[in-house]
Amino acid sequence: MDQPPTLAASSPDFPLDTLIVNALLVAGGPECRVIRDGALGIQGDRVAWTGGPGHQPPPARVVVDAQGAVVLPGLVNAHCHLPMSLFRGLADDLALDAWLNEHIFPAEARFLSPETVTAGALLSLAELLLSGCTTVCDGYFFEDQVAEAAVLAGIRAVAAQGVLDFPAPGVPDPRENVRAAADFVTRWSGRSPLVTPAIFCHSPYTCGPDTLKAAKRAAGDAGALFQIHAAETRGEVEQSRKILGKTPIAHLHSLGVLDAQTLVVHAVWADERDVEILARSGAGVAVCTASNMKLASGIAPLPGLLAAGVPTGLGTDGPASNNRLDVFSEMGATARLHKLATGDPTAVGAKTALFLATEGGATALGLTGLGRLEPGWAADVVVLRPDRPNLTPAYDPVSLAVYAASGADVRHVWVAGRQVVEEGRLLTLELAEILAKARSLAKRIGGRGA
Ligand SMILES: [Zn+2]
């Protein structure tokens, strides 16, 4: 339903920087407000104006005609390991244990360096921006390189330095793992408006209780997000029950690391009590549907998490376990999977899926004012192509975005008011150079070209 146009109180200096007209505008929010024949004005890094037919927008320096196409908030990828694009396709069709221990950990130990992390991160960031993702939450090693790549790409990022209780890339001495992560957070606090530093403990089975508590304390002292994979596989939960006498989520709770600044990744095998613990603690969850499907890990209890009020977002997980970084595809897969799993076609609807991939994900990451196209909210905007058969006709733009669109349908992207993709081309990165570098590194990693 069209609403009267509104002006952001904090934007007195018209003209607007950019005005997007002739838009099938999905403003977002829990109700997923839609404005047909709408327009959206950007001033600085914020949305400054939205309106429908008959509402005269203020003048703007640049006017972009969406040609009737869907315009929606930039998508939020709530969990990723960006540099792992270099390992995409290296090992597939395996369970998590075998994939991780026999292929990924050895490849990481052998090939990760600041150079490869930068190359892999840039490759993933190019893929994300071109497919309409404007915010990504990453957890990896050599995270300074990831954060620098994010600044270069012009994407919004929560970047978290990884912590493991065994020698890790860039942190050979595990006794230094928490200090290295805390130092990373210090280095990046306030350094870029696009990068929010954080700490990422890999899992309760690779980080002992002392490490988990120390890492959470360091994150808490810095006001930073603490992230951790947990309850990803049935085997992990069984082992945790056997060794610790409790589930991984109950274990994290008993250590005091679950609170509103914690993001639990996966929670596939969270039982009802775990969901209650998560809800009471205020912790967020990143659900990684495609990765969980590909590794046959299981189906996260998403309807239960949402009913309990757990802040939840959608993550692709790393490009080596997905194997693509397309949040549109993640929305469609998530909605479809939960209909199938519950036998209820209303279990996760299009509006819910879009909310999870926008404002819901931002909230789970602790980011505010992000994920809607309303005055005062961040100007992270995606314009889809007007000429795609799969996006025609446009009865319901939310249905199109979730069930019909893919990242390949993205035409323009802005992050914090800066255009980063124009007519499907990256404006911030040299894609040809990034591809050439990745191909050259792949020869070393996989023994053959890409
Ligand atoms: Zn992950």
Side-chain angles (χ1 to χ4, degrees), residues 370-410:
L370 181 68
R372 289 191 204 185
L373 298 180
E374 303 272 10
W377 288 63
D380 293 10
V381 186
V382 171
V383 178
L384 298 186
R385 286 177 54 172
D387 55 354
R388 302 290 274 181
N390 56 312
L391 302 183
T392 307
Y395 298 120
D396 175 356
V398 181
S399 162
L400 286 183
V402 172
Y403 296 125
S406 80
D409 298 317
V410 169

Side-chain angles (χ1 to χ4, degrees), residues 225-380:
L225 185 71
F226 171 88
Q227 309 171 41
I228 185 159
H229 294 130
E232 181 174 2
T233 64
R234 190 202 295 262
E236 176 197 339
V237 175
E238 283 170 358
Q239 196 184 29
S240 176
R241 283 189 188 281
K242 202 165 132 192
I243 297 170
L244 302 166
K246 51 186 86 143
T247 67
I249 287 168
H251 173 55
L252 295 175
H253 176 56
S254 71
L255 296 175
V257 305
L258 296 181
D259 62 26
Q261 281 192 299
T262 298
L263 180 75
V264 173
V265 179
H266 297 304
V268 168
W269 292 93
D271 61 19
E272 278 181 27
R273 194 166 160 269
D274 290 332
V275 172
E276 261 180 54
I277 289 172
L278 290 167
R280 274 206 311 273
S281 72
V285 169
V287 167
C288 303
T289 303
S291 174
N292 295 156
M293 288 168 74
K294 183 163 178 284
L295 294 162
S297 298
I299 301 171
L302 179 58
L305 291 167
L306 297 178
V310 176
T312 304
L314 301 184
T316 56
D317 211 350
S321 66
N322 187 304
N323 290 1
R324 56 184 167 173
L325 304 179
D326 182 345
V327 184
F328 282 97
S329 144
E330 216 61 44
M331 288 193 288
T334 301
R336 287 180 175 94
L337 178 64
H338 289 282
K339 296 174 196 304
L340 180 65
T342 58
D344 174 6
T346 70
V348 175
K351 285 182 177 177
T352 301
L354 187 65
F355 181 77
L356 294 173
T358 52
E359 186 181 344
T363 305
L365 301 180
L367 304 174
T368 54
L370 181 68
R372 289 191 204 185
L373 298 180
E374 303 272 10
W377 288 63
D380 293 10

Side-chain angles (χ1 to χ4, degrees), residues 102 124 199 232 350 395 399 411:
E102 292 164 28
S124 289
I199 294 179
E232 181 174 2
Y395 298 120
S399 162
R411 182 184 177 202

Side-chain angles (χ1 to χ4, degrees), residues 6 62 84 93 100 110 117 141 181 204 214 231 285 291 306 401 434 436:
T6 42
V62 177
M84 293 182 77
D93 307 330
L100 207 52
R110 190 153 170 225
V117 163
F141 307 101
V285 169
S291 174
L306 297 178
I434 291 168

Side-chain angles (χ1 to χ4, degrees), residues 8-371:
S10 59
S11 53
D13 301 325
F14 291 130
L16 298 168
D17 295 326
T18 305
L19 180 69
I20 302 168
V21 299
N22 201 9
L24 181 48
L25 184 63
V26 179
E31 300 307 314
C32 236
R33 193 163 73 87
V34 168
I35 305 176
R36 290 182 179 273
D37 301 316
L40 175 140
I42 297 172
Q43 187 186 57
D45 61 357
R46 302 269 138 194
V47 174
W49 189 92
T50 59
H55 303 133
Q56 185 59 38
R61 271 192 308 115
V62 177
V63 177
V64 176
D65 186 353
Q67 298 173 262
V70 177
V71 175
L72 71 159
L75 300 178
V76 175
N77 183 348
H79 180 65
C80 196
H81 312 289
L82 291 163
M84 293 182 77
S85 53
L86 292 183
F87 304 135
R88 176 180 6 229
L90 198 60
D92 292 306
D93 307 330
L94 294 164
L96 179 69
D97 268 5
W99 177 75
L100 207 52
N101 292 313
E102 292 164 28
H103 297 274
I104 295 303
F105 284 157
E108 287 180 337
R110 190 153 170 225
F111 295 110
L112 285 190
S113 67
E115 180 198 12
T116 55
V117 163
T118 296
L122 288 172
L123 182 63
S124 289
L125 291 169
E127 183 180 356
L128 286 171
L129 286 176
L130 287 169
S131 60
C133 173
T134 53
T135 298
V136 60
C137 181
D138 188 67
Y140 210 58
F141 307 101
F142 296 113
E143 197 66 15
D144 286 274
Q145 274 66 35
V146 175
E148 278 164 18
V151 172
L152 212 59
I155 199 168
R156 206 180 286 280
V158 176
Q161 168 68 28
V163 172
L164 286 173
D165 270 348
F166 48 89
V171 190
D173 181 356
R175 288 171 301 183
E176 296 295 316
N177 55 11
V178 174
R179 196 169 64 83
D183 288 350
F184 167 79
V185 171
T186 304
R187 278 196 297 282
W188 281 89
S189 292
R191 183 157 153 191
S192 161
L194 289 178
V195 174
T196 305
I199 294 179
F200 168 55
C201 281
H202 175 268
S203 64
Y205 60 90
T206 52
C207 297
D210 290 344
T211 299
L212 293 170
K213 284 193 282 190
K216 177 61 189 176
R217 199 161 46 240
D221 289 348
L225 185 71
F226 171 88
Q227 309 171 41
I228 185 159
H229 294 130
E232 181 174 2
T233 64
R234 190 202 295 262
E236 176 197 339
V237 175
E238 283 170 358
Q239 196 184 29
S240 176
R241 283 189 188 281
K242 202 165 132 192
I243 297 170
L244 302 166
K246 51 186 86 143
T247 67
I249 287 168
H251 173 55
L252 295 175
H253 176 56
S254 71
L255 296 175
V257 305
L258 296 181
D259 62 26
Q261 281 192 299
T262 298
L263 180 75
V264 173
V265 179
H266 297 304
V268 168
W269 292 93
D271 61 19
E272 278 181 27
R273 194 166 160 269
D274 290 332
V275 172
E276 261 180 54
I277 289 172
L278 290 167
R280 274 206 311 273
S281 72
V285 169
V287 167
C288 303
T289 303
S291 174
N292 295 156
M293 288 168 74
K294 183 163 178 284
L295 294 162
S297 298
I299 301 171
L302 179 58
L305 291 167
L306 297 178
V310 176
T312 304
L314 301 184
T316 56
D317 211 350
S321 66
N322 187 304
N323 290 1
R324 56 184 167 173
L325 304 179
D326 182 345
V327 184
F328 282 97
S329 144
E330 216 61 44
M331 288 193 288
T334 301
R336 287 180 175 94
L337 178 64
H338 289 282
K339 296 174 196 304
L340 180 65
T342 58
D344 174 6
T346 70
V348 175
K351 285 182 177 177
T352 301
L354 187 65
F355 181 77
L356 294 173
T358 52
E359 186 181 344
T363 305
L365 301 180
L367 304 174
T368 54
L370 181 68

